[in-house]
Amino acid sequence: MYKTTRAFYIGRFQPYHFGHHAVLSEIAKEFDEIIIGIGSAQCSHEPDNPFTAGERVTMIRHALDDVDIKHFAIPIEDIRRNAVWVSHIISMTPKFDVVYSNNPLVIQLFGEAGIEVRQPPKYKRDIYSGTKIRRRMIEGDGWETCVPDAVVDIIEEIGGVERLRRICMVEE
Amino acid sequence: MYKTTRAFYIGRFQPYHFGHHAVLSEIAKEFDEIIIGIGSAQCSHEPDNPFTAGERVTMIRHALDDVDIKHFAIPIEDIRRNAVWVSHIISMTPKFDVVYSNNPLVIQLFGEAGIEVRQPPKYKRDIYSGTKIRRRMIEGDGWETCVPDAVVDIIEEIGGVERLRRICMVEE
Amino acid sequence: MYKTTRAFYIGRFQPYHFGHHAVLSEIAKEFDEIIIGIGSAQCSHEPDNPFTAGERVTMIRHALDDVDIKHFAIPIEDIRRNAVWVSHIISMTPKFDVVYSNNPLVIQLFGEAGIEVRQPPKYKRDIYSGTKIRRRMIEGDGWETCVPDAVVDIIEEIGGVERLRRICMVEE
Amino acid sequence: MYKTTRAFYIGRFQPYHFGHHAVLSEIAKEFDEIIIGIGSAQCSHEPDNPFTAGERVTMIRHALDDVDIKHFAIPIEDIRRNAVWVSHIISMTPKFDVVYSNNPLVIQLFGEAGIEVRQPPKYKRDIYSGTKIRRRMIEGDGWETCVPDAVVDIIEEIGGVERLRRICMVEE
Amino acid sequence: MYKTTRAFYIGRFQPYHFGHHAVLSEIAKEFDEIIIGIGSAQCSHEPDNPFTAGERVTMIRHALDDVDIKHFAIPIEDIRRNAVWVSHIISMTPKFDVVYSNNPLVIQLFGEAGIEVRQPPKYKRDIYSGTKIRRRMIEGDGWETCVPDAVVDIIEEIGGVERLRRICMVEE
Amino acid sequence: MYKTTRAFYIGRFQPYHFGHHAVLSEIAKEFDEIIIGIGSAQCSHEPDNPFTAGERVTMIRHALDDVDIKHFAIPIEDIRRNAVWVSHIISMTPKFDVVYSNNPLVIQLFGEAGIEVRQPPKYKRDIYSGTKIRRRMIEGDGWETCVPDAVVDIIEEIGGVERLRRICMVEE
């Protein structure tokens, strides 16, 4: 009998960018479905986490609309206890076979739990990194080429650049 | 310009059944997309909440696979403070225009926030109610006809009936 | 040197009524200032806790406006650990000399901490009790005579009776 | 090479009584060491949880002083998410081989995690049950014969019976 | 009919100083009442938050005793989720018309919620800033001239300077 | 009548080392029993907190096996509110007479609560410090001589050095 195969991929997606896009395209070649965990879901309006989970769900969904990747986008709140984090992930998601991550802590935690972890190839991380894209947003330095058009639209609609700039200001 | 319209519908889906299915079909006639909030996402293995959020996501997705309803299934953890609950929902979901609910507290809270709430028609609630279906599971009384086939499959695969029966036992 | 004397009095004030009023008037005869702790501050929109902490602060302040009682009205969130509750109270309030309470748990906890507790005389508890007044609100049975005029005004302004009735409804 | 074998046994121990004692004696025959998890460690001063975790640790330690059972008594705070509870237990305790429990939820959760659970014989549960002993304390009905002498001493020293009676009173 | 106007002003008041005093005096000219939110109410005994919420309530109350500003001093615990923070504030306070703040995050969050925010003039921030006053306390460098006399009294009574110095020490 | 005397000693024990061992030996000369509080019990798999509470309990127990020190090893989760921390400790532990600590915050908090605090002599802190031993583990620089043999065994059995190295890696 045929069984659906699924991979789990987690990130904060602040914002969703072409680096994520490239990894998902790779994973889609090997698995039927991808579960996309949206980490630190409870965070927003912070310099490192400007967007809400809902906004990030919308970005991912729209960005993947015209690509043919069957996926689940699932907000995951932090549980702040590493020893139970894997159980927390498992409880919030459909069953998966493999985890894709380059994050050392994620690799260690799933590894200790006996779950297979694969490291996706890094795709131009000097350009496609959340930190760098947020810095470009603040400086008005061509961030729009780093993310899918659908993400540009959403960020503009919510005034995301203005939000990010404001919350990065220091009260004198 | 055309704008996507979205409705928000929340439930605990313990389990997803034909009552939910009927409501979603109705809503789908009026809105482009439906956001399905899976409430009490952090709960599982309780008599009233036997299934994990991940299991419920899987039920909803599979049940809707062959129906043509564009949707988002989003686990939502309880925040246990009614006064901030609407903000919590909004932060976890894509933007929506209308809420569908028959729950008095949900109606009151969205109402105070100035968001339109519509009450969906009730669909055979004497049969299609979570409480009644869980009781049938415990008693082995033909629960399978109350839920889509995909949901029967998932519950069987995870041993859901045995789980429910066990956690409803009282330690003597 | 003269030292300000203070008493601590805690309640949920759902809503503030003439029973509270009578106790505060008694305490005011013996102490310079009264600290009024508003318990379960994080609760609202529940059958037993319909009003927010902010609404309760407003009730207390307005009800005491024309009485000459120097007081502090301080919202106190539940900490759900009885063993640290007294420390929690102390950290949130100005220093006090005596506690007034008829609640057995409050008496026990402050007693174990070595703090003097006095039991205020009960003032017509068959009429002036939160539970009974909320029931009158639901039934439309003359609740207005049980609370100061200022409280009636506030409850009407926020649609408090409608709120309470709705959240007490059972979803069929 | 010889490896230490360990069993895990969890209870709330409100208070520690001869029923627990009998089970531990049985387990001690089969394992080198017993890990005693003291559940709901954050609770105290409640009708069902009158004693603090520290008081319960002291009861267990003193009661086992003259018995030759090598054990660890470990307070475990509730995590209120069944899906991560087993991981929580594992993170707080030395490694163990087997769980002893008659609680259906505990059996189910460890069972789903693939950990062996054994059900200890029930030892005169009509007499040796926390609920019944607490009722006897309230009614002054010979509770002292249900617990080891060391536990009687501790409860008397902390005024445990008076505490329990007071917190079970209802404020009129 | 005349309606009471209210402004909301939030700070941590570690400690209350003449900078706060100047702003409140300005606001008092335009509004009938001021709601003073005492932020991070659950924090104390930290280098940046040495004083408890109760101590800060006392400072504010005493400092405003001889000034004629009708106010509410309300401890507000952190909720650590920016997306629900405005709802949290609203639930804990009497209704207000305008927010006064120079904090970029506060401005952004109330702005997104459609609530008017005004920026108070900054009053000698090179002198009157919590950070600088705490540093002066540690160094014994004339902090007393930066705060009202009532605040000096309270800090001395609780041994505030010694507390701050100790908790800023580094364990070698 | 003879009364058991007890001292309380708290640390994070990441890992347990000869510095702790020396202090406990000193305390054991003056007290009948030592309560060892294992702080930040909920933390693990972090650069500063690599080991779980259960692993730390095991280290302490085994390291003290051949020394004759009667002790309780009690995991204590952080409560993140300094003002209630002392009550939290007291609720989780058997009664104690004196606290041993060199931590300024611990000294201040117990001091404000009127509990005697003694500062243990520092034992070769240039060598025996958790921070330094973790650094040696990462660098493979002879950490084994800083901890009892039993601790070396446990760390090797759980792959502790590999865990620590991995979680200290930075994702490029």
Side-chain angles (χ1 to χ4, degrees):
Chain A
M1 199 199 97
Y2 181 76
K3 187 192 152 289
T4 306
T5 58
R6 291 198 199 102
F8 176 70
Y9 177 64
I10 192 159
R12 288 188 297 112
F13 306 106
Q14 294 279 15
Y16 183 86
H17 56 64
F18 284 128
H20 304 124
H21 218 61
V23 171
L24 289 174
S25 304
E26 281 305 305
I27 301 175
K29 290 178 190 158
E30 307 220 26
F31 290 84
D32 299 323
E33 300 180 354
I34 306 176
I35 301 158
I36 304 172
I38 300 173
S40 298
Q42 83 287 355
C43 295
S44 73
H45 298 83
E46 300 174 353
D48 287 345
N49 292 294
F51 306 114
T52 69
E55 290 161 355
R56 292 178 272 160
V57 167
T58 317
M59 288 177 198
I60 290 169
R61 175 60 72 93
H62 283 226
L64 293 178
D65 244 3
D66 24 306
V67 210
D68 195 33
I69 299 179
K70 189 152 189 200
H71 69 281
F72 302 77
I74 299 193
I76 297 193
E77 300 195 10
D78 291 328
I79 198 161
R80 281 162 227 244
R81 294 178 174 242
N82 288 329
V84 307
W85 187 78
V86 166
S87 295
H88 175 53
I89 294 292
I90 287 172
S91 77
M92 291 289 163
T93 56
K95 245 186 206 165
F96 49 83
D97 306 287
V98 168
V99 172
Y100 277 83
S101 180
N102 284 309
N103 180 289
L105 178 60
V106 171
I107 294 169
Q108 179 68 22
L109 293 174
F110 277 109
E112 289 193 21
I115 295 169
E116 185 189 350
V117 186
R118 296 187 196 162
Q119 297 191 237
K122 284 165 193 162
Y123 184 64
K124 299 192 190 170
R125 280 192 67 89
D126 52 322
I127 302 178
Y128 298 137
S129 107
T131 308
K132 280 171 185 151
I133 293 169
R134 291 193 300 277
R135 199 172 310 138
R136 281 173 180 245
M137 284 181 169
I138 293 169
E139 294 168 0
D141 178 16
W143 61 275
E144 294 90 343
T145 58
C146 305
V147 307
D149 285 353
V151 173
V152 175
D153 289 350
I154 291 163
I155 290 176
E156 285 181 351
E157 193 189 319
I158 62 175
V161 175
E162 294 68 35
R163 183 197 292 170
L164 178 59
R165 278 182 195 152
R166 178 103 51 128
I167 61 184
C168 289
M169 286 168 60
V170 176
E171 184 179 356
E172 296 154 59
Chain B
M1 199 201 96
Y2 180 75
K3 188 191 151 289
T4 307
T5 58
R6 293 198 198 103
F8 177 69
Y9 177 64
I10 192 158
R12 288 188 299 110
F13 306 104
Q14 295 280 12
Y16 183 86
H17 56 64
F18 283 128
H20 303 122
H21 218 60
V23 171
L24 289 175
S25 304
E26 282 306 306
I27 301 175
K29 291 178 192 160
E30 307 220 27
F31 289 85
D32 299 324
E33 300 181 354
I34 305 176
I35 301 158
I36 304 172
I38 300 173
S40 298
Q42 82 288 352
C43 294
S44 74
H45 299 81
E46 301 174 353
D48 287 345
N49 292 295
F51 306 114
T52 69
E55 290 162 354
R56 293 178 271 160
V57 167
T58 317
M59 289 178 197
I60 290 169
R61 175 61 71 93
H62 283 226
L64 293 179
D65 244 3
D66 24 306
V67 209
D68 196 34
I69 298 179
K70 189 153 188 199
H71 69 281
F72 302 77
I74 299 192
I76 298 193
E77 301 195 10
D78 291 329
I79 198 163
R80 283 160 225 244
R81 293 176 175 243
N82 288 330
V84 308
W85 187 79
V86 166
S87 295
H88 176 54
I89 294 292
I90 288 173
S91 77
M92 290 290 163
T93 55
K95 246 185 205 165
F96 49 83
D97 305 286
V98 169
V99 172
Y100 278 83
S101 180
N102 284 309
N103 180 287
L105 178 60
V106 171
I107 295 169
Q108 179 69 21
L109 293 174
F110 277 110
E112 287 193 22
I115 293 169
E116 185 190 348
V117 186
R118 297 187 195 163
Q119 297 191 235
K122 284 164 194 164
Y123 183 64
K124 300 193 189 171
R125 281 191 68 89
D126 51 323
I127 302 176
Y128 298 137
S129 106
T131 308
K132 281 172 185 150
I133 294 169
R134 291 192 300 276
R135 199 172 310 138
R136 281 171 180 248
M137 285 181 168
I138 293 169
E139 294 167 1
D141 177 16
W143 61 275
E144 296 89 342
T145 59
C146 305
V147 307
D149 285 353
V151 173
V152 176
D153 289 350
I154 292 163
I155 290 177
E156 284 180 352
E157 193 189 319
I158 62 173
V161 175
E162 294 68 36
R163 183 197 292 171
L164 178 59
R165 279 182 196 152
R166 177 104 49 131
I167 61 182
C168 289
M169 287 168 59
V170 176
E171 183 180 358
E172 295 152 61
Chain C
M1 200 201 96
Y2 180 76
K3 187 191 153 288
T4 307
T5 59
R6 294 200 198 100
F8 177 69
Y9 176 65
I10 192 158
R12 288 187 300 110
F13 306 104
Q14 293 281 11
Y16 182 86
H17 56 64
F18 284 128
H20 303 122
H21 219 61
V23 171
L24 289 175
S25 303
E26 282 306 305
I27 301 175
K29 290 177 191 158
E30 306 220 26
F31 290 84
D32 299 324
E33 301 181 354
I34 306 177
I35 300 159
I36 304 171
I38 300 172
S40 297
Q42 83 286 353
C43 295
S44 73
H45 299 82
E46 301 173 353
D48 287 345
N49 291 295
F51 306 113
T52 69
E55 291 162 353
R56 293 177 272 160
V57 167
T58 318
M59 288 178 199
I60 290 169
R61 175 60 72 92
H62 283 226
L64 293 179
D65 243 4
D66 24 306
V67 211
D68 195 34
I69 300 179
K70 189 154 189 198
H71 70 281
F72 302 76
I74 298 192
I76 297 192
E77 300 194 11
D78 291 330
I79 199 164
R80 283 161 224 243
R81 293 176 175 243
N82 288 329
V84 308
W85 187 79
V86 166
S87 294
H88 176 54
I89 294 292
I90 288 172
S91 78
M92 290 290 163
T93 55
K95 245 187 206 162
F96 50 83
D97 305 287
V98 168
V99 172
Y100 277 83
S101 180
N102 284 309
N103 180 287
L105 179 59
V106 171
I107 295 170
Q108 179 68 21
L109 293 174
F110 277 110
E112 288 193 21
I115 294 170
E116 185 190 349
V117 186
R118 297 187 194 162
Q119 297 191 236
K122 283 165 193 163
Y123 183 64
K124 300 193 188 171
R125 280 192 68 91
D126 52 323
I127 303 177
Y128 299 135
S129 105
T131 308
K132 281 172 184 151
I133 293 169
R134 291 192 301 275
R135 199 172 311 138
R136 281 173 179 245
M137 284 181 168
I138 293 169
E139 294 167 1
D141 177 17
W143 61 275
E144 295 91 341
T145 58
C146 306
V147 307
D149 285 353
V151 173
V152 176
D153 288 351
I154 291 164
I155 289 176
E156 285 181 352
E157 193 190 317
I158 62 174
V161 174
E162 294 68 35
R163 183 197 292 171
L164 178 59
R165 280 184 195 151
R166 177 103 49 131
I167 61 184
C168 289
M169 287 169 60
V170 177
E171 185 179 357
E172 296 153 59
Chain D
M1 197 200 97
Y2 179 76
K3 187 190 152 290
T4 306
T5 58
R6 293 198 198 103
F8 177 69
Y9 177 64
I10 192 159
R12 289 188 298 110
F13 306 104
Q14 295 279 12
Y16 183 85
H17 56 65
F18 284 128
H20 303 123
H21 218 61
V23 171
L24 290 174
S25 304
E26 282 306 305
I27 301 175
K29 290 177 190 157
E30 307 220 25
F31 290 86
D32 299 323
E33 299 180 356
I34 306 176
I35 300 159
I36 304 171
I38 300 173
S40 298
Q42 83 287 353
C43 294
S44 72
H45 299 82
E46 300 174 353
D48 287 345
N49 292 296
F51 306 114
T52 69
E55 290 162 355
R56 293 177 271 159
V57 167
T58 318
M59 289 178 197
I60 291 169
R61 175 60 73 93
H62 284 226
L64 294 178
D65 243 4
D66 25 306
V67 209
D68 195 34
I69 299 179
K70 189 153 189 200
H71 70 281
F72 301 77
I74 299 193
I76 297 193
E77 300 195 11
D78 292 330
I79 199 162
R80 284 161 223 243
R81 295 177 173 242
N82 288 329
V84 307
W85 187 78
V86 166
S87 294
H88 176 53
I89 294 292
I90 288 172
S91 76
M92 290 290 163
T93 55
K95 246 186 205 165
F96 49 83
D97 306 286
V98 169
V99 172
Y100 277 83
S101 181
N102 284 309
N103 180 288
L105 179 59
V106 171
I107 294 169
Q108 179 68 22
L109 293 174
F110 277 109
E112 288 192 23
I115 294 170
E116 184 189 348
V117 186
R118 297 186 194 162
Q119 297 191 235
K122 283 166 194 162
Y123 183 64
K124 300 193 188 170
R125 280 192 69 89
D126 51 322
I127 302 176
Y128 299 136
S129 107
T131 308
K132 280 172 186 151
I133 293 168
R134 291 193 300 276
R135 199 172 310 138
R136 282 173 179 245
M137 284 180 169
I138 293 169
E139 293 167 1
D141 178 17
W143 61 275
E144 295 91 342
T145 58
C146 305
V147 307
D149 285 353
V151 173
V152 176
D153 288 351
I154 292 163
I155 291 177
E156 284 181 351
E157 193 189 318
I158 63 173
V161 175
E162 294 68 35
R163 182 197 292 170
L164 178 59
R165 280 182 196 153
R166 177 105 47 130
I167 61 183
C168 289
M169 287 168 59
V170 177
E171 185 180 356
E172 296 153 60
Chain E
M1 199 200 97
Y2 180 76
K3 186 189 153 292
T4 306
T5 58
R6 292 199 199 102
F8 177 69
Y9 176 64
I10 192 159
R12 289 188 297 113
F13 306 105
Q14 293 280 13
Y16 183 86
H17 57 64
F18 284 128
H20 303 124
H21 218 61
V23 170
L24 289 175
S25 304
E26 281 306 305
I27 301 176
K29 290 177 191 160
E30 307 220 26
F31 290 85
D32 298 324
E33 299 179 356
I34 306 176
I35 300 159
I36 304 172
I38 300 173
S40 297
Q42 83 286 355
C43 294
S44 73
H45 299 82
E46 301 173 353
D48 287 345
N49 292 295
F51 305 114
T52 70
E55 290 161 354
R56 293 177 272 159
V57 167
T58 317
M59 288 177 198
I60 291 169
R61 174 61 70 94
H62 282 226
L64 293 178
D65 243 4
D66 24 306
V67 209
D68 196 33
I69 299 179
K70 189 155 188 199
H71 69 282
F72 301 77
I74 298 192
I76 297 191
E77 299 196 10
D78 291 329
I79 198 163
R80 283 163 226 244
R81 293 176 175 245
N82 288 330
V84 308
W85 187 78
V86 166
S87 295
H88 175 53
I89 294 292
I90 288 172
S91 78
M92 290 291 163
T93 55
K95 246 185 205 165
F96 50 83
D97 306 285
V98 168
V99 172
Y100 277 83
S101 181
N102 284 309
N103 180 288
L105 178 60
V106 171
I107 294 169
Q108 180 68 23
L109 293 174
F110 277 109
E112 288 192 21
I115 294 169
E116 184 189 348
V117 186
R118 297 187 194 162
Q119 298 191 236
K122 283 164 192 163
Y123 184 64
K124 299 192 190 172
R125 281 192 67 91
D126 52 322
I127 302 177
Y128 298 137
S129 107
T131 308
K132 280 172 185 151
I133 293 169
R134 290 193 300 276
R135 198 172 311 138
R136 280 173 180 244
M137 285 180 168
I138 293 169
E139 294 167 0
D141 178 16
W143 61 274
E144 295 91 342
T145 58
C146 305
V147 307
D149 285 353
V151 173
V152 175
D153 289 351
I154 292 163
I155 290 177
E156 285 181 350
E157 193 190 318
I158 63 174
V161 174
E162 294 68 35
R163 182 197 292 171
L164 178 59
R165 280 182 195 152
R166 178 104 49 131
I167 62 185
C168 288
M169 286 168 59
V170 177
E171 184 179 357
E172 296 154 60
Chain F
M1 198 200 97
Y2 180 76
K3 188 191 152 289
T4 306
T5 58
R6 293 198 199 102
F8 177 69
Y9 177 64
I10 192 159
R12 289 187 298 111
F13 306 105
Q14 293 281 11
Y16 182 86
H17 56 65
F18 283 128
H20 304 123
H21 219 61
V23 170
L24 289 175
S25 304
E26 282 305 306
I27 301 176
K29 290 178 190 158
E30 307 220 25
F31 290 84
D32 298 323
E33 300 180 354
I34 306 177
I35 301 158
I36 304 172
I38 300 173
S40 297
Q42 83 286 355
C43 294
S44 73
H45 299 81
E46 300 174 354
D48 287 344
N49 292 294
F51 306 113
T52 69
E55 291 162 354
R56 293 178 271 158
V57 167
T58 318
M59 287 177 198
I60 290 169
R61 175 61 71 93
H62 283 226
L64 293 179
D65 244 3
D66 24 305
V67 209
D68 194 34
I69 299 179
K70 189 152 189 201
H71 69 280
F72 302 77
I74 299 192
I76 297 192
E77 299 195 11
D78 291 329
I79 197 162
R80 282 163 226 243
R81 294 176 175 243
N82 288 330
V84 308
W85 187 78
V86 166
S87 294
H88 176 53
I89 294 293
I90 288 172
S91 77
M92 291 290 163
T93 55
K95 243 185 208 166
F96 50 83
D97 305 287
V98 168
V99 172
Y100 277 82
S101 180
N102 284 308
N103 180 288
L105 179 59
V106 171
I107 294 169
Q108 179 69 22
L109 293 174
F110 276 109
E112 288 192 22
I115 294 169
E116 185 189 349
V117 186
R118 297 186 194 163
Q119 297 191 236
K122 284 165 193 163
Y123 184 65
K124 299 192 190 170
R125 281 192 67 91
D126 51 322
I127 302 177
Y128 298 137
S129 106
T131 307
K132 280 171 186 151
I133 293 168
R134 291 193 301 276
R135 199 172 310 137
R136 280 172 180 246
M137 285 180 167
I138 293 170
E139 294 168 1
D141 178 17
W143 61 275
E144 295 91 342
T145 58
C146 305
V147 308
D149 285 353
V151 173
V152 176
D153 288 351
I154 292 163
I155 290 177
E156 284 181 352
E157 192 189 317
I158 61 174
V161 174
E162 294 68 34
R163 182 197 293 170
L164 177 59
R165 279 183 196 152
R166 178 104 49 128
I167 60 183
C168 290
M169 286 168 59
V170 177
E171 184 178 358
E172 295 153 61

